[in-house]
Amino acid sequence: MEKVLAAVRVGPSMTEIRDFPMPEIPHDSALLRMEVGGICGTDVKMYATPPSKAPVIMGHENIGYIAKAGREFTRRKGFKEGDLVFVEHYVTCGQCEWCHLGQYRHCESTDWRYNPDAIRYGYTSSEKAPHLWGGFAQYMYLPWNSVVHHVPKGVTPELAGLVTPMSNGVEWSLFDGGVGYNSSVLIQGPGQQGLSQTVVCKQAGASLIIVTGKSKDRARLEVAKALGADHVIDVQKEDALARIMEITGGKGVDVVLDCSAGAGTMPILLGIDALKRKGGTMVVQGEMAEFPNFPLAKMTLKFVTLKSARGHSYKACELALQQLASRRFPLEKITTHTFGLKDVDLAIKSVGGHGVPDVIHASLMPWK
Ligand SMILES: [Zn+2]
Ligand SMILES: [Zn+2]
């Protein structure tokens, strides 16, 4: 029987290469030949501290070619063998209101934090048949309720690997933050997520983009400038709030996007202070269990809107794919590194800043 190789997380910061049987593909399903699995900050977290003991094929930002498509899969969904596609990590019920809205991220069927039977690429146990529920593998299984997008012509698999951070950029800055023409924006954290937000804000017409980072982020802050940031601030060398107020003539910014990782409460506190006098918006993604001395009064007196960054909608993915196809920004400055299947451990650690230096976005290429 034909085997499929996959990198399986078997414990905290532990990976094993295992093989799985090549699945039978029913009429309503398909098989994806993986080209690129993007690695993001969430992987760094989930690898070091897995949310469960189950063995998991990680990889939730997946690009590949349809290798086999059942007759019904092609008829219903419009994808055929040979198509280059992006697969969202949400596997949906197809029936609830969120699914009908294209907001698959909120569907209960894919919400692993709430529903123990949820299916989500990169999160679901590899013990669950047909096992191939993650992108760090040669193939991935696509049931009828997978959410698939065509990758536009001219976009390489590696460039398409940026679609997830870019679609989060669209969702968080445009849809959640309301960034548009003449907006002033503070983006905290110059990783792949912050840099993608920079591109999207620039494209949307923001008149001022400030990106913050730490001293170790010097190269990333240079990339931020190349992608459209007007100012960059090293928060370890400068008084960030004083600089922001100087740049904005004491006014503060319209929108704050928190794309920092492991920076504790600091970005939130800076964000509240950096927002304009009234009516600013802050989009946050922190998952700290507690926030002692949260300055609620400061926030309400400034009439701040606080929003939660939670993945991306169908529409955001389509816009992100068009952004990639436009070739308007030098995005090859973000896609810095590629790794093979046997180097999953090194790849994830490198994205987390321990391993190969200066990684911004890493592509896992299972056939490399
Ligand atoms: Zn991710
Ligand atoms: Zn649903």
Side-chain angles (χ1 to χ4, degrees):
M1 191 198 278
E2 207 182 335
K3 298 282 188 194
V4 178
L5 287 181
V8 185
R9 183 189 71 213
V10 293
S13 300
M14 278 165 56
T15 295
E16 255 178 49
I17 303 291
R18 291 185 180 174
D19 55 42
F20 293 89
M22 181 66 88
E24 290 292 317
I25 301 301
H27 286 319
D28 64 355
S29 301
L31 183 73
L32 186 78
R33 185 188 196 273
M34 279 299 301
E35 287 295 315
V36 167
I39 303 173
C40 81
T42 303
D43 292 310
V44 176
K45 223 169 15 185
M46 295 288 168
Y47 189 48
T49 49
S52 84
K53 286 200 165 68
V56 167
I57 304 171
M58 294 176 68
H60 62 273
E61 306 187 350
N62 300 315
I63 308 292
Y65 290 99
I66 302 277
K68 250 182 234 169
R71 199 174 54 231
E72 278 302 296
F73 186 91
T74 296
R75 192 181 69 83
R76 286 189 205 162
K77 297 172 78 80
F79 296 91
K80 56 182 194 320
E81 288 168 15
D83 287 352
L84 180 63
V85 299
F86 161 57
V87 182
E88 294 190 36
H89 52 314
Y90 316 121
V91 181
T92 70
C93 77
Q95 297 172 10
C96 73
E97 186 184 2
W98 294 119
C99 283
H100 281 99
L101 289 167
Q103 307 278 0
Y104 306 109
R105 57 201 169 132
H106 300 315
C107 173
E108 198 179 316
S109 289
T110 195
D111 186 355
W112 60 271
R113 288 172 207 267
Y114 177 83
N115 172 6
D117 299 322
I119 298 183
R120 179 177 294 206
Y121 290 110
Y123 292 79
T124 293
S125 169
S126 60
E127 278 165 0
K128 188 182 180 76
H131 315 294
L132 303 178
W133 299 115
F136 300 162
Q138 292 173 324
Y139 291 94
M140 223 168 65
Y141 180 73
L142 306 182
W144 67 274
N145 47 345
S146 52
V147 182
V148 187
H149 299 256
H150 286 286
V151 172
K153 279 208 166 46
V155 177
T156 62
E158 203 183 339
L159 184 59
L162 289 179
V163 65
T164 301
M166 202 61 73
S167 61
N168 289 342
V170 172
E171 192 73 43
W172 305 355
S173 63
L174 305 194
F175 298 169
D176 295 329
V179 171
Y181 185 73
N182 210 39
S183 297
S184 54
V185 190
L186 169 64
I187 298 167
Q188 304 191 72
Q192 52 180 293
Q193 193 54 70
L195 295 173
S196 297
Q197 307 277 349
T198 304
V199 166
V200 171
C201 290
K202 192 76 177 178
Q203 169 82 1
S207 56
L208 176 67
I209 300 173
I210 305 169
V211 178
T212 59
K214 294 183 176 171
S215 298
K216 69 170 172 53
D217 296 321
R218 213 168 53 85
R220 292 177 174 193
L221 290 171
E222 283 307 311
V223 175
K225 278 197 219 160
L227 294 173
D230 300 284
H231 301 273
V232 298
I233 301 174
D234 176 343
V235 298
Q236 290 175 312
K237 285 208 181 112
E238 298 176 84
D239 178 340
L241 182 61
R243 265 301 302 287
I244 293 161
M245 287 305 160
E246 182 192 310
I247 291 164
T248 59
K251 283 203 166 99
V253 298
D254 298 320
V255 178
V256 171
L257 303 163
D258 173 24
C259 301
S260 63
T265 58
M266 196 281 274
I268 311 289
L269 297 172
L270 174 63
I272 293 174
D273 284 336
L275 281 171
K276 60 188 176 184
R277 191 178 61 87
K278 294 276 178 181
T281 299
M282 181 158 68
V283 183
V284 301
Q285 55 161 338
E287 291 183 6
M288 284 169 290
E290 289 179 352
F291 197 125
N293 304 316
F294 183 80
L296 185 63
K298 200 184 249 183
M299 196 188 100
T300 53
L301 291 173
K302 288 183 87 171
F303 194 46
V304 168
T305 299
L306 186 63
K307 292 204 171 179
S308 306
R310 287 284 99 197
H312 48 257
S313 59
Y314 186 89
K315 174 85 177 165
C317 294
E318 286 294 313
L319 290 173
L321 286 161
Q322 288 172 35
Q323 179 72 68
L324 297 177
S326 79
R327 297 270 171 177
R328 199 168 179 205
F329 295 85
L331 296 174
E332 65 283 353
K333 290 185 190 297
I334 305 183
T335 51
T336 52
H337 290 74
T338 61
F339 294 88
L341 195 60
K342 66 176 192 328
D343 291 324
V344 162
D345 179 86
L346 175 65
I348 297 175
K349 286 175 180 162
S350 300
V351 171
H354 308 280
V356 180
D358 295 328
V359 171
I360 297 179
H361 183 268
S363 300
L364 202 286
M365 301 178 114
W367 301 91
K368 194 179 146 174

